[in-house]
Amino acid sequence: MAPHDIRRPFKRAAISDQQKRRELSLQRQAQNRTEAQLQARRLASSILSFPNQNSDPQPLESVDLIPEPIVEEPKTDAGDISEIDIRQAARLKGSEARRWFASQLMLPEWMIDVPDRLNEDWYVFARPSGKRCFVVSSNGTTVSRLRNGSLLHRFPSALPSGAKTRDSSRSAQSYCILDCIFHELDQTYYVIDMVCWAGISFYECTAEFRFFWMNSKLVESGACEAPSTYHRYRFSLIPVYSCDHEGLQTAYAGAVSYVKDGLLFYNKHAHYQTGNTPLVLVWKDETCSQYVIDTDNKGQFPNQQQVVLELQDNGQLVTSDDPPVVLGCLNAYFIQETGLHSGNLVRFAVNDGGLTFVDGKLEKADLHYIGKVHRARAFADSYSKIVFQYMVRHSPLRIEHLFASMGTLSEQESNEVEMVG
């Protein structure tokens, strides 16, 4: 993008309360301290001991992901899923297991407005395309599990307590938890965040500290080296930049060793909080991602935007957010005729009436019923994803808007935090 001599800060009309929620999240971080060490130990225990849905023996070096059987099971109150302890989590199956594991990852919201102080308070990096997963090393083995709890790989690694070697001397408490994306083309785990290292929890640490620690410790451990007998898969760090003009341009257009799938933006002060957070944002366009517009269940780009919502007892159709956002309501007669039940995930197309916003809030949505979603899916779409997909089709948030929000190009320093794997 050609630079301009003068740029004034750019501000699009607000269509959400994303900025307000960012400020509230930072306030809650400062006020509320979680039991982070206990959380890390519980998570490590659950990922390593969670029973496989498939009873067939799997090879040590690689466990192919097999669709979980669809079994009707007693419902657990969705609001209580996050409160389940490890012993209960080990007995969960199907959608409830997926809900529990998904709640352990920190999930980014979609960027639907440009954050304040983007060039001062945020990092940016190119997100690898692949499978998002937790990697846990403990007691001489390493396990990776997808966000739905399914086993991806069980393997030896150079991570702390990640392989049974003669010189292994770490205690049973010396576990490690990494937030990764497995990139199949080069069979590499790209580390996007560090949750725990050698038994030390980083839940309450800022992203700035976590990235610094991750950069030094991962390389030091040997996990970034080529595969070997006691290190089956290579781990790699991702170049992370301060989100000024130069950093954003490098993340957006610079060459990387993996296939890009958009950009990730991290607030420098963000702790690792489970679930959706407005302090981590994902953004895409056609230059940095192959899949900007969502595909349907056949892998095709639908003519109309499709959304997945959850049906509640009162007939309301809501998103997966906490608290949920209401996009519509079905009457009792329609629910009975279609055989829908409370808790069902339902797919809709966005008709020509689209989404209507008033004073930054969703006023109404013109939706057309398509049908129920396959029961293997556990969650409705988030509000930010629905709005981002709508913006892509009608008024996209472009890279030029991100640059323009920073003001002038002059006298801005590039404060790059580069992590080379």
Side-chain angles (χ1 to χ4, degrees), residues 64 76 91 109-110 138 167 178 240 262 284 288-289 302 304-305 330 333 342 350 393 417:
D64 293 331
T76 299
R91 294 193 292 269
E109 289 192 8
W110 291 76
S138 181
D167 57 351
L178 300 178
V240 177
K284 297 181 181 182
C288 64
S289 178
Q304 294 177 298
Q305 179 185 351
L330 299 179
Y333 176 77
S342 176
V350 179
R393 292 172 178 267
V417 182

Side-chain angles (χ1 to χ4, degrees), residues 138-139 161 170-175:
S138 181
N139 295 319
S161 299
R170 293 188 182 272
S171 70
Q173 297 299 324
S174 184
Y175 53 87

